[in-house]
């Protein structure tokens, strides 16, 4: 992944985490949380949040944002969301092998485009307990999700929370070709 050398990103590189090598896992019945990174982002994108949740006993897995048939996404299409959904299904199918928990509660969370595929997974997998959208694309481009043959709102039967950012600045609205009304509407 290409990570721009901004002041913020450089500070992230030097951030000391609290993770421990070869740490003995705590036996817990806390839920498993799978985090999907945003558009074209690495799994370490929100490592501070993931580490915080893990420090409270949650089993946390993070998935990078990769394209369907190449490393990059096409541009926020349903094909991109399907790529993330398939990656997520792969991880879910292998949870018993890669985690040290017997929890049957599985929550999906993701930032921006990373949360869009979770809706598809929750519509089609009975093992999802809830979805947490961190300023997810579901607010800004619900038509991407609606274009999938896998999407059926009637099958979405789990708790859902969407945490949104402050109002988008005019420059971001123009870049994404969104109207100012998106700041106050939520059609999903």
């Amino acid at each position: 992944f290409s990570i721009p050398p901004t002041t913020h990103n450089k500070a992230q590189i030097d951030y000391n985490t609290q993770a421990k090598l070869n740490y003995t896992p705590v036996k817990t019945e806390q839920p498993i949380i799978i985090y999907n990174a945003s558009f074209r982002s690495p799994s370490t994108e929100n490592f501070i949040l993931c580490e915080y949740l893990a420090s409270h006993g949650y089993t946390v897995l993070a998935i990078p944002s990769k394209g369907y048939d190449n490393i990059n996404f096409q541009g926020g299409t349903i094909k991109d969301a399907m790529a993330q959904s398939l990656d997520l299904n792969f991880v879910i199918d292998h949870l018993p092998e890669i985690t040290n928990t017997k929890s049957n509660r599985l929550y999906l969370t993701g930032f921006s485009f990373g949360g869009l595929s979770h809706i598809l997974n929750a519509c089609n997998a009975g093992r999802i307990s809830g979805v947490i959208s961190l300023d997810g694309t579901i607010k800004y481009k619900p038509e991407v999700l609606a274009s999938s043959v896998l999407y059926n709102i009637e099958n979405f039967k789990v708790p859902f929370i969407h945490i949104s950012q402050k109002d988008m600045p005019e420059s971001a609205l123009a870049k994404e070709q969104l109207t100012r009304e998106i700041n106050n509407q939520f059609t999903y």
Side-chain angles (χ1 to χ4, degrees), residues 38-55:
S38 61
F39 193 74
R40 296 182 179 162
S41 294
S43 56
T44 57
E45 161 190 82
N46 211 333
F47 69 93
I48 295 172
L49 171 65
C50 293
E51 181 181 278
Y52 177 80
L53 292 168
S55 74

Side-chain angles (χ1 to χ4, degrees), residues 26-85:
V26 175
K27 299 284 185 191
T28 179
E29 290 303 314
Q30 294 284 52
I32 297 169
I33 299 173
I34 300 178
Y35 176 85
N36 256 29
S38 61
F39 193 74
R40 296 182 179 162
S41 294
S43 56
T44 57
E45 161 190 82
N46 211 333
F47 69 93
I48 295 172
L49 171 65
C50 293
E51 181 181 278
Y52 177 80
L53 292 168
S55 74
H56 284 77
Y58 295 93
T59 298
V60 182
L61 296 94
I63 302 173
S65 182
K66 301 281 189 176
Y68 184 81
D69 50 12
N70 61 45
I71 195 167
N72 290 317
F73 278 164
Q74 294 179 330
T77 65
I78 192 57
K79 188 174 181 180
D80 296 335
M82 287 299 301
Q84 280 193 326
S85 180

